Amino acid sequence: MRVVVPFAAETPKTRLESVFSPDERSRFARAMLADVLRAIAETGHEPTVVSTAPLAVADLELPEAVAAVTSVAVDERPLTDAVNARLPGGDGAADGIGAAGDSDRNPVAVVMADLALATPGALEGVLTTAADVAIAPGRGGGTNALVVRHPAFRADYHGTSYLDHCEIAQSVGADLETVDSFRLGTDIDEPADLVEVLVHGRAGDRALARLHEFGFVLDDRGGRVGVAREGDLASE
Amino acid sequence: MRVVVPFAAETPKTRLESVFSPDERSRFARAMLADVLRAIAETGHEPTVVSTAPLAVADLELPEAVAAVTSVAVDERPLTDAVNARLPGGDGAADGIGAAGDSDRNPVAVVMADLALATPGALEGVLTTAADVAIAPGRGGGTNALVVRHPAFRADYHGTSYLDHCEIAQSVGADLETVDSFRLGTDIDEPADLVEVLVHGRAGDRALARLHEFGFVLDDRGGRVGVAREGDLASE
C-alpha cells in the first residue's frame, strides 16, 4: 500500500512557537516525521513524504532500513489537493506512480507527520481494515490517519474533517470504519500535547529525544500536568 | 468482574464552569455517568458507582436493564483511597463485597465517570486483557480505565497517574498492559473536550442529548474547531 505523509516543510508546527525557538520547531517537526516514517516502514510499507518544499531524506537521520524505503515528492499545493492527487482515482501521475493505469485499484494511506506516538501496531490497526475508507480520528474532529480503497472518495482536510469524511464516504457509497486509537488520535500541535510525547514516547523515538535535548520535563506543580524547561523549574 | 465508577457528586466538572451553569454542569456530569454505566452494563458487567455523596439511581434515568445491575456506594474519601479500598487485596469490606475473603482473587476495574465516548467495544479492550494490571491512559498522563488483577497493586491518582501506575506495577512485580483507545483516552474535563462529544457521540447517548438540549453546536469559524451555543453563533 502507498503510504503518503504530508509535511509542511516551511511552516512547521506554528502553534508551538510559544515554547520553541524557530530552529527547535523545525527540528522537532522533522524528528516527529522521522518517527512516523520509521513506524510506517516497520509495518512493511514504503512511505512517501509529500513535502511543500524540497527535503533531503539524509537530513532526517533515518535508520538505514527506513531511509532505503522512503521517498520524497514535492508538492506546493494545499494539503487537500496534494492528498487527493494521490488517492485511488486521483490524477494518477503524482509521484510517477499509477501512470500504468492501476491507480484506481491500489489503496492509499495518508498519515499525518505529527503523530509522534504512532507505533507499527497502532498503524496496522488502520492499515489492515477491509473498509473502503478507514479513519483514525484526531482530537477536534481531525483526520489523523486515512486509508482509501474506494476510487470515488475525495479528502477534505478543512474544519472537522472527520465528519466531512464520513459524509463524503456516504455520498459516494463507500463504507467507512473508524479506528479507535489513542496513539493515532494524538497529533502534536500545541504545548499541552508535548506532555503526551514525554509520557508515551518510547526509547529510540526522535521526538522524545529532541524534547529531552531541549530540556523539557513534565511539570505537575499545578493542577494539570504540563511541560517546562528543566532550568525554569529549578529557578522557581 | 466488579467495575467501580468513582463519581464526584458534589463538585461535578468544575473545569466546565466557564461554559455551563451549575445546574447544567451537574446534569451533564450525570448524563456522562449514565452513558458510562450503560456501556459497562452492555459488556455484561455490573457497575458500582462510588459516589462522594448519596445518589439516587432513579435520578440517572438509566434504561431499566442498566438500572437493574447498577449499585451505588457512598464513600467520602478522596478518589485514591476510595478506589484502593475496593481493589483486590483492599480492605475487602467495601460495599460488603469480598467479606467472604475472596477479595484478593477477583479482578476489579475502575472506570472514570466522564468517559462520555466509552463504548462496550472500547471497554472490552481493557476489561479482557490477561495482564495483572491494564490501563487505558487519558490525555495528560491520566488513568481513565484501570483493571487490577494483582493483589499488591495500589492506585495513586495524583499527577501523572499513568506513569505512577506503571512504576507501582513494576515495584510489586505485576505486568502491565497499556490499552490504546481514543474513546477511553478522552475524558471530558474542559470546554474543548465538548467537541469530542459532539463529533463522536452516538444516537442515544445522554451526554450528547444534553449538549443539544443546552444548545451547543460545533463552531469551526476559527482555525480550530470549538463549541458554541447556537444562539451565540446566530447573533454574531
Side-chain angles (χ1 to χ4, degrees), chain B residues 69-118:
Chain B
V69 298
T70 299
S71 57
V72 175
V74 176
D75 194 324
E76 294 173 359
R77 288 177 286 184
L79 175 61
T80 294
D81 297 336
V83 165
N84 280 333
R86 289 165 173 85
L87 292 186
D91 66 27
D95 314 335
I97 304 170
D102 64 348
S103 68
D104 271 18
R105 289 185 197 90
N106 291 334
V108 174
V110 184
V111 177
M112 292 297 125
D114 60 355
L115 304 188
L117 307 188

Side-chain angles (χ1 to χ4, degrees), chain B residues 28 70 73 76 83 91 97 126 130 144 160 173 192 196 213 217 221:
Chain B
F28 183 69
T70 299
E76 294 173 359
V83 165
D91 66 27
I97 304 170
V126 67
N144 284 5
T160 47
E196 309 307 330
E213 181 190 330
V217 292
R221 292 171 301 171

Side-chain angles (χ1 to χ4, degrees), chain A residues 46-234:
Chain A
E46 306 196 343
T48 300
V49 182
V50 176
S51 176
T52 54
L55 182 75
V57 172
D59 290 349
L60 296 175
E61 299 172 25
L62 297 171
E64 206 172 318
V66 180
V69 298
T70 298
S71 57
V72 175
V74 176
D75 194 325
E76 293 173 1
R77 289 177 286 184
L79 174 63
T80 294
D81 297 337
V83 165
N84 280 333
R86 291 167 172 82
L87 292 186
D91 66 28
D95 316 335
I97 304 172
D102 63 350
S103 68
D104 272 16
R105 288 187 196 89
N106 292 334
V108 174
V110 183
V111 177
M112 292 297 126
D114 60 355
L115 304 188
L117 307 189
T119 56
L123 284 170
E124 266 160 14
V126 67
L127 294 174
T128 59
T129 78
D132 293 334
V133 178
I135 295 179
R139 273 177 56 95
T143 302
N144 284 5
L146 169 71
V147 177
V148 180
R149 291 186 172 79
H150 194 290
F153 180 89
R154 286 293 165 273
D156 178 354
Y157 279 95
H158 296 286
T160 47
S161 63
Y162 169 70
L163 292 177
D164 295 337
H165 289 150
C166 289
E167 272 183 32
I168 294 165
Q170 193 167 30
S171 73
V172 300
D175 62 65
L176 182 141
E177 184 169 331
T178 301
V179 175
D180 180 29
S181 169
F182 178 84
R183 286 191 168 274
L184 299 184
T186 304
D187 44 318
I188 307 300
D189 267 333
E190 47 188 45
D193 300 330
L194 300 178
V195 171
E196 309 307 331
V197 180
L198 290 174
V199 169
H200 298 285
R202 300 174 309 157
D205 284 356
R206 288 292 162 82
L208 178 62
R210 285 293 186 225
L211 289 187
H212 287 159
E213 180 190 330
F214 298 162
F216 281 94
V217 292
L218 290 170
D219 176 10
D220 59 359
R221 291 170 303 171
R224 309 204 67 186
V225 180
V227 297
R229 306 252 187 184
E230 223 156 0
D232 298 336
L233 280 177

Side-chain angles (χ1 to χ4, degrees), chain B residues 36-75:
Chain B
V36 168
L37 295 173
R38 183 167 66 111
I40 293 167
E42 287 174 358
T43 66
H45 296 282
E46 307 197 343
T48 300
V49 182
V50 175
S51 175
T52 54
L55 182 75
V57 171
D59 290 349
L60 296 174
E61 299 172 27
L62 297 171
E64 206 172 318
V66 179
V69 298
T70 299
S71 57
V72 175
V74 176
D75 194 324

